[in-house]
């Protein structure tokens, strides 16, 4: 395949960026999108040019660091697919593909396609710990949990913190991410002990980081590579209201 990549190049956070076009020949349709960026970088290094900075770790769709805006959609055209799991056969021979970093005020561009997603880390930290009995290791399944609660908690826990929901939202809202993190602990008995405190602290941190409010357009759910349901946002709002009205500290 032949493709043209129009990539956002930006030296540093405080310098101006621009889209730069690179033509690539002999791209194997079976290779992944990140492998195509690797191919480009090998060619740039061979020419003595600076490679394109982008993030990746697991390349298995589970770490959440690889997110890119690809031709106008977070993580590209396939639903429930991370950038690292996207393959070149998804695109047409001769296609021009635009590649940009996440665009959201709280996610500052560090270089090229790499953004600072530490606001997510601080929201998680604000959520605090889960109470555990620090004695001997308990027997497995000693705390009964209903199948429905365990399934719901697991559905929410599937969030990989990639930030696509924020990038896709016209308000830069982090509510789908925060809702998933709140719900995955709140549905389990171990996590419900600090439940009220957690939902208040995480939402306060989300606001302090400068994320916008929910737009109710569900763009977040449409681009989420893990299919996190927007129903969790409504649940988080209910939990926050309950925690605020019936504050048990
Ligand atoms: S909710 Fe989905 S889109 Fe948002 S951070 Fe989690 S996995 Fe990524
Ligand atoms: S590199 Fe880990 S999810 Fe893509």
């Amino acid at each position: 395949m032949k493709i043209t990549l129009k990539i956002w190049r930006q030296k540093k956070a405080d310098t101006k960026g621009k889209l730069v076009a690179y033509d690539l020949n002999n791209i194997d349709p079976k290779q992944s999108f990140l492998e195509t960026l690797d191919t480009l970088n090998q060619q740039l290094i061979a020419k003595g040019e600076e490679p394109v900075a982008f993030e990746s770790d697991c390349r298995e769709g589970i770490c959440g660091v690889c997110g890119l805006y690809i031709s106008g959609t977070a993580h590209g055209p396939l639903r429930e697919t991370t950038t690292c799991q996207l393959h070149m056969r998804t695109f047409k021979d001769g296609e021009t593909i635009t590649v940009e970093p996440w665009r959201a005020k709280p996610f500052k561009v560090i270089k090229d396609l790499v953004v600072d997603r530490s606001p997510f880390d601080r929201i998680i930290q604000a959520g605090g710990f889960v109470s555990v009995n620090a004695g001997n290791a308990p027997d497995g399944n000693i705390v009964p949990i209903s199948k429905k609660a365990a399934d719901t908690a697991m559905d929410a826990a599937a969030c990989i913190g990639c930030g696509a929901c924020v990038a896709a939202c016209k308000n830069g809202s982090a509510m789908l991410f925060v809702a998933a993190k709140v719900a995955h602990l709140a549905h389990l008995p171990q996590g419900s002990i600090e439940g009220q405190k957690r939902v208040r602290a995480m939402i306060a941190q989300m606001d302090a980081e400068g994320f916008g409010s929910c737009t109710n357009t569900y763009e977040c759910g449409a681009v989420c590579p893990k299919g996190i349901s927007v129903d969790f946002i409504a649940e988080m709002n209910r939990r926050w209201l309950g925690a605020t009205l019936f504050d048990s500290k």
Side-chain angles (χ1 to χ4, degrees):
M1 292 172 76
K2 282 186 182 177
I3 53 152
T4 301
L5 292 178
K6 278 175 99 176
I7 300 184
W8 185 259
R9 302 298 314 258
Q10 184 172 338
K11 266 196 180 322
K12 288 192 290 184
D14 54 357
T15 55
K16 249 185 138 181
K18 61 174 183 189
L19 287 168
V20 180
Y22 301 97
D23 293 323
L24 289 170
N25 300 314
N26 300 323
I27 293 296
D28 187 335
K30 292 196 289 298
Q31 76 186 65
S32 74
F33 197 81
L34 296 189
E35 283 166 342
T36 304
L37 291 179
D38 291 338
T39 306
L40 168 66
N41 278 348
Q42 289 305 323
Q43 293 178 11
L44 291 177
I45 291 165
K47 284 195 282 183
E49 292 178 30
E50 199 168 348
V52 177
F54 66 95
E55 274 192 280
S56 77
D57 189 359
C58 70
R59 299 203 175 193
E60 292 181 346
I62 51 175
C63 77
V65 302
C66 61
L68 298 172
Y69 238 91
I70 300 169
S71 292
T73 307
H75 289 296
L78 295 187
R79 282 190 81 101
E80 297 194 18
T81 306
T82 53
T83 301
C84 59
Q85 296 285 288
L86 186 65
H87 290 85
M88 298 315 290
R89 57 180 171 268
T90 314
F91 302 95
K92 290 193 211 75
D93 192 20
E95 190 168 338
T96 298
I97 306 165
T98 310
V99 193
E100 297 166 275
W102 285 166
R103 299 268 182 226
K105 211 170 157 198
F107 292 158
K108 302 268 181 290
V109 174
I110 296 172
K111 186 178 170 65
D112 296 336
L113 303 173
V114 179
V115 300
D116 175 10
R117 281 177 299 129
S118 60
F120 270 13
D121 298 334
R122 289 190 288 276
I123 292 172
I124 298 279
Q125 282 163 7
F129 54 84
V130 171
S131 286
V132 289
N133 183 344
N136 290 341
D139 289 342
N141 299 325
I142 203 164
V143 181
I145 301 168
S146 74
K147 169 92 169 70
K148 192 168 178 295
D151 284 351
T152 310
M154 282 305 290
D155 287 348
C159 167
I160 54 174
C162 65
C165 47
V166 174
C169 177
K170 59 186 173 189
N171 258 1
S173 168
M175 288 189 89
L176 192 63
F177 164 76
V178 181
K181 297 300 168 193
V182 164
H184 106 242
L185 291 172
H187 280 270
L188 300 175
Q190 297 92 335
S192 63
I193 299 167
E194 291 86 10
Q196 293 198 334
K197 197 169 139 233
R198 181 179 303 110
V199 69
R200 284 199 315 268
M202 289 181 92
I203 288 181
Q205 189 64 35
M206 173 181 81
D207 291 343
E209 297 289 350
F211 292 103
S213 305
C214 179
T215 56
N216 282 314
T217 53
Y218 302 165
E219 193 61 26
C220 53
V223 299
C224 174
K226 295 296 154 185
I228 303 293
S229 168
V230 292
D231 291 350
F232 285 122
I233 297 179
E235 180 189 326
M236 178 176 72
N237 286 337
R238 283 196 304 276
R239 288 186 184 278
W240 179 83
L241 193 62
T244 309
L245 291 178
F246 309 105
D247 185 355
S248 63
K249 295 287 176 217

